[in-house]
Structure formats: structure tokens, C-alpha cells
Amino acid sequence: MARKNPFANVMTEQTGENPVALDYTVKGASRSIISTIDELAARADKLLEGETVVDLDPATVDVSFVQDRLEDDRAAFETLKAAIREQGQTSPILVRPHPADAARYMVVFGHRRLRVASELGRPVRAVVKAISDRDHVIAQGQENSARSDLSFIERARFAKRLSELNYDGDNLTVMTALSIDKATLSKMLSVANMPQDILSAIGGARSPGRDRWYELKHLLENPRVLEELRRILSQTSLEGIDGDARFAFVMDALTRKKTSGYRPEPKREIWSARDRALSANIRSDGNSYTLALKSKDTKAKDAAGFGAFVAEHLDDLYAKYRKRNP
């Protein structure tokens, strides 16, 4: 006998108006895409409006069957965690009864709030709503577009996974979920179809936009360049640096010489500070030595500050070097 879902009544119990149905019927091409952040946020809010909020054990809730985030911003997560620790979880997450296990649930949106609750050892406040897989991915995509800072490549790979699910022949579900038009979707899928080992090596770079990813895609259309990049990556550890630094490293390696016979300089390193606030791309060809500093936080001035500090002490550093290498 199947186990009864202890929260089955939550799906119909109301505290206000009737529940807002997930209606994504298309009424003309001009209405098929939600075009503003406010509209997207409103759609996400509608899914929770008038519904009963319950406390769930985080251990009974599984993540979405479609991943959208490639890497987590630990600083942003810790900020959210601190806020919930002090003020409580003010906004519920949306879950659905698990399609394969009546005793469990699956997150539609609110993965980070679920993780915070788990780490704090608290129940997670949630709305339970029975929805289809298609409506699940639409709601997940729209909520992320409205409230999350997903990078271009994360959105592109999310679009690719939704497209592969093939909910409809013309990818309308994907466009609705991400609030994009057909031309934008085509470009996203083009980038997301790059070699998966390269995309995985770079991860969820946040700063590069569509044009930079398109530039990389065109570079890798040359088989010799792709082969050389794979060789470089096999000999270089990118552990400990974020996606932006990995993307910069790859682009730097490929654009130093834009020829089919490109060969990288023989020595190349990546340095990362112990606190991960600063990284450096280092390259040397025997006659020159270049050190490019980059702050992890785009608003911080660690790179400029540390660079100025090094420059200020160059005389002393050179004197020490000459003493060791007369």
C-alpha cells in the first residue's frame, strides 16, 4: 500500500483567494514571452499567493530534476544564511509532491533557502503544490530569471536541458521559462552545444556575457585550437579559482596567437590567495613575465590595491632578488 502524503491537504487548503492556476496558454507570439523582471517576479509570487505555508524537514525534500546553477556564490549564500539565522525565513520555497515517492517532495524553486535550513538544522517553510514537470521547469526558470543572478552560460545550459526534454516541438516551453525570444534561444543553444568538457572545466563564469561566449565558441570551431586547449587544460590545475578566472585563463591562452598553428607560451600558472579574494594569471616566455591580478568580487579593489603595493616595493623586491641571484 502506498504511503499517504501527510501534506496532501495542503494542495487545496486556502487562506485567501482561490489558487492561481499555472496557465501558460499562448495567445499570439507577442504574448508568449514575459518581457520584464517585474512580470516574472509577479508570476513567481502568484504561485504562492493564497496557499498554506507548512514547515517541512529539509531531509524529505529533493532538488529539482533540472539543474540551473553550475556553481554557488558562497559569499551570497553566507549572507542569506546569516539573514535567515537572525530574522527567520521570510519567503517560503515552492515544492511539489515527489513524482516518484509519495513520502518526499521536490523543490521547484528555493534551493538555496532549502540548503540554509538544512545547515541551520531548521524546518524549511514551503508551499506544496501539485504541478506537472512542464509547469515545474517554467516556474523554476521564471523565478530564477526574476530573482537570481544566473550567468549567461548557466541560463544557456539550463535552456539546453529543457530543450532536450522536448516538451513541445518549437521550444515554446524553454522560451517561456527563460523569458527569451527564438533568436536569443538559438544563440544560447549554440553556445551550450560547445564541447561539454570545456564548459565543465570553465564552470559558471558570471562576468562573460553572450558575446564573449560566442567568441570562445568560434575559436573552438578550429579543431587544432580545440585540441590544443584540451592539452593545456590537462596540464593545468584550475582548482581553487572561480569561473571568471577560469574563463579568462582559457581566453588568454587562445587569443595570444590567433593562428591555426597556435602554440602557447611554455610556462603558465594560476595563483590564488588563501582567502580566495584575489587570483593572478601568470605567464612567462623566458624574455617576459606577466602577472595579471583579478579580484574575486568585481566591486572590491583588492587587485588594484595589491598591484599598487607590489609596484611600490619593486625596488626592495629587486634588491632582494639580486642578492639571491648576483
Side-chain angles (χ1 to χ4, degrees), residues 64-105:
S64 173
F65 66 96
V66 183
Q67 181 186 8
D68 49 35
R69 193 177 296 275
L70 297 178
E71 61 183 39
D72 195 26
D73 185 335
R74 191 66 198 181
F77 177 78
E78 290 298 333
T79 299
L80 176 64
K81 184 176 177 181
I84 291 178
R85 181 189 292 113
E86 296 174 6
Q87 305 169 17
Q89 182 191 337
T90 58
S91 177
I93 68 173
L94 178 64
V95 304
R96 59 188 285 209
H98 199 291
D101 188 341
R104 299 188 64 78
Y105 305 90

Side-chain angles (χ1 to χ4, degrees), residues 207-217 247-248 251 255:
S207 295
R210 181 190 65 191
D211 292 343
R212 290 288 282 163
W213 279 102
Y214 230 58
E215 181 182 355
L216 175 58
K217 171 187 174 296
F247 184 90
M251 290 300 292
T255 57

Side-chain angles (χ1 to χ4, degrees), residues 13-19 45-52:
E13 181 181 353
Q14 300 297 308
T15 59
E17 300 176 352
N18 291 332
D45 290 339
K46 286 288 186 182
L47 294 175
L48 306 178
E49 187 176 279
E51 297 290 336
T52 298

